[in-house]
Amino acid sequence: MQYLIRYPHGCIEQITSATFPQLFLQSFTDISQERKQAIETNVKAYIQKLKSYQHTSGGFTYWPGDTYGENEWGTNYAGHCMIEAKMLGYDVPSQMYDNWITFQTNEAGNWRYSVFNGNDAAQAYRLFTLALAKKPHMSAMNRLRESAAISDNAKWMLAAAYAMAGKPEISEKLLQTTKPSNTASDDDYYNYGSFERSKAIRLFTYALLKKYDKAKIIADDLAAILSSDNWLSTQTTAYSLMALSKFAGNNTNASLQYTVSIDGNKQQVSTTKPLNQTKLDFSTSNTKQVSITNTS
């Protein structure tokens, strides 16, 4: 999270990656009022900044004021973040939001399959964002589903779109046609993707479909990847955190209970969040005696 927030560049992908996981941090863990206020400030600043990336068409450009036109994946990704922020109660300017909806709807309707640049995954993501905004474009979704040879990435994202549109039975049928993949797709090159981000998309879709047993396997993999020292792109990191938070936030039956002893001072911890953090104060000593007893 800190890596994303500090990331120095400001293209549409990176400012969105820095903001997106902050929306879901409270799904993971209890946070202080100070941290809540910082997140709120960051998200509000992102929404204001996003206006400078919007093209007259309603889509979003790669850089603010960019004259090269809309960035397809960036428009989907920023729109996805914008909707999630709006659903959490953040004030999103209605003109920016409505123009984006119009752009996405028009692009979805005009889309045609191409074998070259992975545009089926971009279309599937576009359709997901419309379904998330409660404006599903069912005819475009059906047309994409019936297109020959669409990629697995597109199928997973389209399955998520059908789940959001209240058609989980179609999602199930789509997923039955996908295959296990241990490598990144060549199409990922065109949409900031990676093998790890494809895993995150699968986790996100399983969480939407409430398939927690299958989701748990991927969640463990992603947790291990995020805990490693391996370099990850901003979008892979952000998407993984977002997908994990959806899994954790939807799986509300969990209960975490333990006793933590710090220099002999015991405290009981009980939370429904999957993570809990206790700060250690080293202002008076450079060593601490810590023990944890899991009671759950």
Side-chain angles (χ1 to χ4, degrees):
M1 182 75 77
Q2 292 305 319
Y3 158 73
L4 292 175
I5 293 171
R6 290 197 303 261
Y7 207 82
H9 303 300
C11 70
I12 190 75
E13 189 274 330
Q14 286 158 352
I15 66 166
T16 301
S17 290
T19 305
F20 218 155
Q22 296 185 65
L23 295 174
F24 306 110
L25 188 58
Q26 291 179 73
S27 299
F28 280 114
T29 186
D30 297 308
I31 59 176
S32 67
Q33 189 61 36
E34 182 183 14
R35 190 70 184 271
K36 286 180 183 177
Q37 289 174 349
I39 289 172
E40 188 173 325
T41 298
N42 292 342
V43 175
K44 286 179 177 178
Y46 167 74
I47 292 169
Q48 287 303 309
K49 193 171 187 179
L50 201 55
K51 291 192 287 188
S52 65
Y53 290 76
Q54 191 164 40
H55 194 266
T56 53
S57 64
F60 293 114
T61 57
Y62 190 73
W63 296 104
D66 201 333
T67 57
Y68 289 103
E70 312 87 358
N71 181 270
E72 187 173 37
W73 193 269
T75 295
N76 292 334
Y77 189 41
H80 185 181
C81 184
M82 181 171 62
I83 297 168
E84 294 281 7
K86 185 178 173 70
M87 289 166 62
L88 287 172
Y90 286 94
D91 182 24
V92 175
S94 57
Q95 185 175 10
M96 178 173 74
Y97 185 80
D98 291 345
N99 288 347
W100 174 82
I101 289 284
T102 299
F103 176 81
Q104 292 289 85
T105 302
N106 290 340
E107 289 293 298
N110 294 331
W111 177 85
R112 295 296 181 270
Y113 178 74
S114 167
V115 295
F116 294 107
N117 62 1
N119 79 334
D120 58 343
Q123 171 72 347
Y125 196 6
R126 181 183 293 119
L127 292 168
F128 168 77
T129 63
L130 287 170
L132 183 64
K134 297 184 170 35
K135 302 282 186 182
H137 198 313
M138 298 305 298
S139 60
M141 289 165 64
N142 293 336
R143 188 166 74 248
L144 177 60
R145 179 166 58 97
E146 292 163 3
S147 299
I150 65 170
S151 66
D152 273 4
N153 279 345
K155 289 177 181 178
W156 279 92
M157 193 62 85
L158 186 58
Y162 275 112
M164 285 303 309
K167 302 286 184 182
E169 68 283 357
I170 300 180
S171 302
E172 298 277 3
K173 289 179 181 178
L174 258 175
L175 296 187
Q176 289 170 11
T177 68
T178 62
K179 56 185 180 297
S181 175
N182 295 315
T183 59
S185 164
D186 291 340
D187 293 339
D188 285 335
Y189 173 81
Y190 297 97
N191 53 42
Y192 318 103
S194 64
F195 169 55
E196 293 81 8
R197 195 196 65 186
S198 293
K199 272 183 177 287
I201 289 173
R202 294 180 182 213
L203 173 58
F204 179 78
T205 303
Y206 276 144
L208 282 176
L209 292 170
K210 296 181 169 47
K211 292 185 170 294
Y212 295 123
D213 289 345
K214 291 183 177 180
K216 177 67 165 57
I217 296 169
I218 302 176
D220 287 344
D221 286 346
L222 284 178
I225 290 165
L226 288 172
S227 299
S228 73
D229 292 329
N230 295 339
W231 180 87
L232 299 171
S233 72
T234 50
Q235 181 152 153
T236 293
T237 305
Y239 226 100
S240 297
L241 287 168
M242 185 269 290
L244 281 164
S245 68
K246 289 291 188 183
F247 169 67
N250 288 342
N251 194 10
T252 54
N253 294 325
S255 176
L256 179 63
Q257 297 174 14
Y258 65 94
T259 301
V260 58
S261 174
I262 303 171
D263 289 342
N265 297 314
K266 290 185 177 181
Q267 65 182 83
Q268 197 74 31
V269 178
S270 179
T271 178
T272 57
K273 303 294 176 67
L275 292 178
N276 187 268
Q277 296 180 327
T278 301
K279 273 190 175 181
L280 299 180
D281 180 7
F282 289 99
S283 61
T284 58
S285 170
N286 60 3
T287 63
K288 292 287 177 185
Q289 293 295 323
V290 180
S291 66
I292 297 172
T293 304
N294 183 10
T295 57
S296 58

